[in-house]
Amino acid sequence: MFFHILLGLFFVSCFSTIRGLDQKRYRVLDMDTKGNIYLYKTALLCKNEIIKRLTNGKYHLAEENLIGLSKASPVLNCKDLKQKVPTLVSGVYWIDPDGGSHGNAFQAYCDQQTDGGGWTLVWSYTFTAYSSFNSGANAVTPRPTWKVSSANTRVSTTVPLSETHYEAMNFALWRTIGKETLIKSNINNWIACKEGTGSIVQQKVGSITCKLVKQVSKKCAAVPTSVKIYGEGMSLNGGSHYYYFDSYTSRGWPTHDPCGKNQLNQLKGVANPHGNIFVR
């Protein structure tokens, strides 16, 4: 996550030649967690003036007032953040999906690189029995608060703050964030899907349009074409299961088949196997 510095004084001599800048506040420097300093292109003309003012201590720290970096300045979602501040990297930011008072704003993880960025992480999961993948004991855990009739893995309403923080945002919030979904896994291909007659965020059976974002498995490059609902969880299907989020540890198994054939084509022997759903 970047630490942002905003100089509080207007540099008449150098910034007056640049159009479209806020005459009172504008972005000048970024510094990453390794200490590398980045100068915004719009501030290049002011390099000497910036160095002089930093050396003399004539600046103000304004991290708490930057968009998405405090509860007082949240964005609607990660797509909104990408549009407002496209230079920000992936990380944890403050969002307020209902856009009202900021009292119910919360932190969420944003993927700002994959497929154009703007993705809000809503679910991170792992497996109960990855080493015996097609056994009845294997299931995804935790599970979101979507409707199921025979599931027994842990239910989560805690917002995940990383791809290996295994929690799930309240399912009712998913649809307030967006309609597109990005599904990532380190044992199956990454796909991005748009609603058709079916919907992942509304848990609705029907067609979806998906594209391959990253081919994790070398076996296949297929994509699912529909959403199906089962008692144990939601499934994205091609010819058969592609991603099946089975959350019952007594029967069935959580298919992650890049060929969409409900077979054991997922990557095997992967350390820390997991998956993620993002919404945009």
PDB file of all heavy atoms in Angstrom, residues 7 19 25 44 70 104 133 155 186-187 205 212 216 235-236 246 268 279:
ATOM      1  N   LEU A   7       1.543  18.097  -0.965  1.00  0.00           N
ATOM      2  CA  LEU A   7       2.083  19.376  -0.556  1.00  0.00           C
ATOM      3  C   LEU A   7       0.941  20.374  -0.452  1.00  0.00           C
ATOM      4  O   LEU A   7       0.135  20.503  -1.356  1.00  0.00           O
ATOM      5  CB  LEU A   7       3.123  19.852  -1.570  1.00  0.00           C
ATOM      6  CG  LEU A   7       4.312  18.899  -1.769  1.00  0.00           C
ATOM      7  CD1 LEU A   7       5.360  19.565  -2.637  1.00  0.00           C
ATOM      8  CD2 LEU A   7       4.918  18.506  -0.433  1.00  0.00           C
ATOM      9  N   ARG A  19      -2.656  21.980 -16.942  1.00  0.00           N
ATOM     10  CA  ARG A  19      -4.107  22.151 -16.893  1.00  0.00           C
ATOM     11  C   ARG A  19      -4.778  21.081 -16.041  1.00  0.00           C
ATOM     12  O   ARG A  19      -4.304  19.964 -15.920  1.00  0.00           O
ATOM     13  CB  ARG A  19      -4.687  22.092 -18.301  1.00  0.00           C
ATOM     14  CG  ARG A  19      -4.244  23.247 -19.189  1.00  0.00           C
ATOM     15  CD  ARG A  19      -4.915  23.140 -20.549  1.00  0.00           C
ATOM     16  NE  ARG A  19      -4.528  24.241 -21.408  1.00  0.00           N
ATOM     17  CZ  ARG A  19      -4.976  24.397 -22.646  1.00  0.00           C
ATOM     18  NH1 ARG A  19      -5.821  23.509 -23.159  1.00  0.00           N
ATOM     19  NH2 ARG A  19      -4.575  25.416 -23.369  1.00  0.00           N
ATOM     20  N   ARG A  25      -5.072  21.262  -3.887  1.00  0.00           N
ATOM     21  CA  ARG A  25      -4.465  19.994  -3.482  1.00  0.00           C
ATOM     22  C   ARG A  25      -4.305  19.106  -4.698  1.00  0.00           C
ATOM     23  O   ARG A  25      -5.193  18.991  -5.524  1.00  0.00           O
ATOM     24  CB  ARG A  25      -5.341  19.299  -2.432  1.00  0.00           C
ATOM     25  CG  ARG A  25      -5.561  20.115  -1.192  1.00  0.00           C
ATOM     26  CD  ARG A  25      -6.373  19.354  -0.181  1.00  0.00           C
ATOM     27  NE  ARG A  25      -5.631  18.189   0.276  1.00  0.00           N
ATOM     28  CZ  ARG A  25      -6.081  17.374   1.224  1.00  0.00           C
ATOM     29  NH1 ARG A  25      -7.241  17.578   1.770  1.00  0.00           N
ATOM     30  NH2 ARG A  25      -5.365  16.347   1.613  1.00  0.00           N
ATOM     31  N   LEU A  44       6.616  16.575 -12.534  1.00  0.00           N
ATOM     32  CA  LEU A  44       8.010  16.546 -12.979  1.00  0.00           C
ATOM     33  C   LEU A  44       8.611  17.942 -13.114  1.00  0.00           C
ATOM     34  O   LEU A  44       9.784  18.155 -12.822  1.00  0.00           O
ATOM     35  CB  LEU A  44       8.112  15.807 -14.318  1.00  0.00           C
ATOM     36  CG  LEU A  44       7.951  14.279 -14.253  1.00  0.00           C
ATOM     37  CD1 LEU A  44       7.951  13.690 -15.655  1.00  0.00           C
ATOM     38  CD2 LEU A  44       9.066  13.658 -13.421  1.00  0.00           C
ATOM     39  N   SER A  70      -9.376   6.025   4.232  1.00  0.00           N
ATOM     40  CA  SER A  70      -9.911   6.195   5.578  1.00  0.00           C
ATOM     41  C   SER A  70     -11.419   5.983   5.552  1.00  0.00           C
ATOM     42  O   SER A  70     -12.057   6.076   4.502  1.00  0.00           O
ATOM     43  CB  SER A  70      -9.586   7.589   6.123  1.00  0.00           C
ATOM     44  OG  SER A  70     -10.389   8.570   5.504  1.00  0.00           O
ATOM     45  N   ASN A 104     -21.266   2.998   8.084  1.00  0.00           N
ATOM     46  CA  ASN A 104     -21.202   1.559   7.805  1.00  0.00           C
ATOM     47  C   ASN A 104     -20.150   1.223   6.749  1.00  0.00           C
ATOM     48  O   ASN A 104     -20.167   0.135   6.180  1.00  0.00           O
ATOM     49  CB  ASN A 104     -22.571   1.032   7.359  1.00  0.00           C
ATOM     50  CG  ASN A 104     -23.071   1.712   6.085  1.00  0.00           C
ATOM     51  OD1 ASN A 104     -22.496   2.709   5.631  1.00  0.00           O
ATOM     52  ND2 ASN A 104     -24.150   1.190   5.526  1.00  0.00           N
ATOM     53  N   PHE A 133      -9.129 -35.116  -3.156  1.00  0.00           N
ATOM     54  CA  PHE A 133      -9.991 -34.068  -3.684  1.00  0.00           C
ATOM     55  C   PHE A 133     -11.408 -34.537  -4.006  1.00  0.00           C
ATOM     56  O   PHE A 133     -12.368 -33.812  -3.782  1.00  0.00           O
ATOM     57  CB  PHE A 133      -9.345 -33.457  -4.934  1.00  0.00           C
ATOM     58  CG  PHE A 133      -9.813 -32.054  -5.222  1.00  0.00           C
ATOM     59  CD1 PHE A 133      -9.270 -30.976  -4.551  1.00  0.00           C
ATOM     60  CD2 PHE A 133     -10.812 -31.819  -6.144  1.00  0.00           C
ATOM     61  CE1 PHE A 133      -9.700 -29.682  -4.792  1.00  0.00           C
ATOM     62  CE2 PHE A 133     -11.263 -30.519  -6.402  1.00  0.00           C
ATOM     63  CZ  PHE A 133     -10.696 -29.447  -5.717  1.00  0.00           C
ATOM     64  N   VAL A 155     -20.011 -21.000   8.022  1.00  0.00           N
ATOM     65  CA  VAL A 155     -20.570 -19.841   7.331  1.00  0.00           C
ATOM     66  C   VAL A 155     -19.809 -18.598   7.779  1.00  0.00           C
ATOM     67  O   VAL A 155     -19.514 -18.440   8.962  1.00  0.00           O
ATOM     68  CB  VAL A 155     -22.069 -19.673   7.649  1.00  0.00           C
ATOM     69  CG1 VAL A 155     -22.613 -18.413   7.001  1.00  0.00           C
ATOM     70  CG2 VAL A 155     -22.846 -20.887   7.188  1.00  0.00           C
ATOM     71  N   ASN A 186      -5.557 -21.012  -7.404  1.00  0.00           N
ATOM     72  CA  ASN A 186      -4.224 -21.507  -7.755  1.00  0.00           C
ATOM     73  C   ASN A 186      -4.238 -22.970  -8.148  1.00  0.00           C
ATOM     74  O   ASN A 186      -3.184 -23.591  -8.329  1.00  0.00           O
ATOM     75  CB  ASN A 186      -3.226 -21.253  -6.624  1.00  0.00           C
ATOM     76  CG  ASN A 186      -3.595 -21.932  -5.315  1.00  0.00           C
ATOM     77  OD1 ASN A 186      -4.671 -22.525  -5.189  1.00  0.00           O
ATOM     78  ND2 ASN A 186      -2.710 -21.840  -4.330  1.00  0.00           N
ATOM     79  N   ILE A 187      -5.462 -23.545  -8.337  1.00  0.00           N
ATOM     80  CA  ILE A 187      -5.541 -24.922  -8.848  1.00  0.00           C
ATOM     81  C   ILE A 187      -6.441 -25.021 -10.084  1.00  0.00           C
ATOM     82  O   ILE A 187      -6.615 -26.098 -10.640  1.00  0.00           O
ATOM     83  CB  ILE A 187      -6.040 -25.905  -7.765  1.00  0.00           C
ATOM     84  CG1 ILE A 187      -7.488 -25.630  -7.371  1.00  0.00           C
ATOM     85  CG2 ILE A 187      -5.129 -25.878  -6.548  1.00  0.00           C
ATOM     86  CD1 ILE A 187      -8.097 -26.719  -6.502  1.00  0.00           C
ATOM     87  N   VAL A 205     -30.117 -19.320 -11.543  1.00  0.00           N
ATOM     88  CA  VAL A 205     -29.826 -20.310 -12.575  1.00  0.00           C
ATOM     89  C   VAL A 205     -30.008 -19.699 -13.966  1.00  0.00           C
ATOM     90  O   VAL A 205     -30.958 -18.940 -14.203  1.00  0.00           O
ATOM     91  CB  VAL A 205     -30.754 -21.536 -12.426  1.00  0.00           C
ATOM     92  CG1 VAL A 205     -30.569 -22.503 -13.594  1.00  0.00           C
ATOM     93  CG2 VAL A 205     -30.484 -22.250 -11.105  1.00  0.00           C
ATOM     94  N   LEU A 212     -11.590 -16.494 -20.507  1.00  0.00           N
ATOM     95  CA  LEU A 212     -10.406 -16.955 -19.800  1.00  0.00           C
ATOM     96  C   LEU A 212      -9.506 -15.756 -19.511  1.00  0.00           C
ATOM     97  O   LEU A 212      -9.148 -14.990 -20.409  1.00  0.00           O
ATOM     98  CB  LEU A 212      -9.660 -17.982 -20.655  1.00  0.00           C
ATOM     99  CG  LEU A 212      -8.431 -18.636 -20.033  1.00  0.00           C
ATOM    100  CD1 LEU A 212      -8.824 -19.514 -18.851  1.00  0.00           C
ATOM    101  CD2 LEU A 212      -7.687 -19.466 -21.084  1.00  0.00           C
ATOM    102  N   VAL A 216      -4.159 -21.316 -15.671  1.00  0.00           N
ATOM    103  CA  VAL A 216      -3.352 -21.901 -14.608  1.00  0.00           C
ATOM    104  C   VAL A 216      -2.997 -23.336 -14.938  1.00  0.00           C
ATOM    105  O   VAL A 216      -1.873 -23.792 -14.713  1.00  0.00           O
ATOM    106  CB  VAL A 216      -4.103 -21.824 -13.263  1.00  0.00           C
ATOM    107  CG1 VAL A 216      -3.339 -22.541 -12.161  1.00  0.00           C
ATOM    108  CG2 VAL A 216      -4.342 -20.368 -12.877  1.00  0.00           C
ATOM    109  N   SER A 235     -22.776 -23.873  -8.736  1.00  0.00           N
ATOM    110  CA  SER A 235     -21.862 -24.470  -9.705  1.00  0.00           C
ATOM    111  C   SER A 235     -21.825 -23.638 -10.973  1.00  0.00           C
ATOM    112  O   SER A 235     -22.856 -23.120 -11.419  1.00  0.00           O
ATOM    113  CB  SER A 235     -22.296 -25.902 -10.046  1.00  0.00           C
ATOM    114  OG  SER A 235     -21.535 -26.415 -11.120  1.00  0.00           O
ATOM    115  N   LEU A 236     -20.638 -23.495 -11.558  1.00  0.00           N
ATOM    116  CA  LEU A 236     -20.480 -22.917 -12.886  1.00  0.00           C
ATOM    117  C   LEU A 236     -20.164 -24.070 -13.825  1.00  0.00           C
ATOM    118  O   LEU A 236     -19.191 -24.795 -13.614  1.00  0.00           O
ATOM    119  CB  LEU A 236     -19.354 -21.890 -12.902  1.00  0.00           C
ATOM    120  CG  LEU A 236     -19.442 -20.760 -11.871  1.00  0.00           C
ATOM    121  CD1 LEU A 236     -18.323 -19.756 -12.096  1.00  0.00           C
ATOM    122  CD2 LEU A 236     -20.791 -20.073 -11.924  1.00  0.00           C
ATOM    123  N   ASP A 246     -19.038 -26.915  -3.712  1.00  0.00           N
ATOM    124  CA  ASP A 246     -19.657 -27.866  -2.784  1.00  0.00           C
ATOM    125  C   ASP A 246     -19.210 -27.551  -1.354  1.00  0.00           C
ATOM    126  O   ASP A 246     -18.014 -27.428  -1.073  1.00  0.00           O
ATOM    127  CB  ASP A 246     -19.237 -29.282  -3.165  1.00  0.00           C
ATOM    128  CG  ASP A 246     -19.614 -30.299  -2.118  1.00  0.00           C
ATOM    129  OD1 ASP A 246     -20.795 -30.348  -1.749  1.00  0.00           O
ATOM    130  OD2 ASP A 246     -18.718 -31.037  -1.651  1.00  0.00           O
ATOM    131  N   LYS A 268      -2.548 -30.443  -8.854  1.00  0.00           N
ATOM    132  CA  LYS A 268      -2.354 -31.281  -7.668  1.00  0.00           C
ATOM    133  C   LYS A 268      -1.020 -30.946  -7.007  1.00  0.00           C
ATOM    134  O   LYS A 268      -0.106 -30.445  -7.644  1.00  0.00           O
ATOM    135  CB  LYS A 268      -2.415 -32.751  -8.068  1.00  0.00           C
ATOM    136  CG  LYS A 268      -3.737 -33.118  -8.741  1.00  0.00           C
ATOM    137  CD  LYS A 268      -3.688 -34.498  -9.374  1.00  0.00           C
ATOM    138  CE  LYS A 268      -5.018 -34.835 -10.051  1.00  0.00           C
ATOM    139  NZ  LYS A 268      -5.280 -33.953 -11.224  1.00  0.00           N
ATOM    140  N   VAL A 279     -15.986  -9.247  -7.274  1.00  0.00           N
ATOM    141  CA  VAL A 279     -17.142  -8.671  -7.963  1.00  0.00           C
ATOM    142  C   VAL A 279     -16.780  -7.258  -8.468  1.00  0.00           C
ATOM    143  O   VAL A 279     -16.065  -6.521  -7.793  1.00  0.00           O
ATOM    144  CB  VAL A 279     -18.374  -8.609  -7.039  1.00  0.00           C
ATOM    145  CG1 VAL A 279     -19.550  -7.903  -7.719  1.00  0.00           C
ATOM    146  CG2 VAL A 279     -18.785 -10.008  -6.615  1.00  0.00           C
TER     147      VAL A 279
END
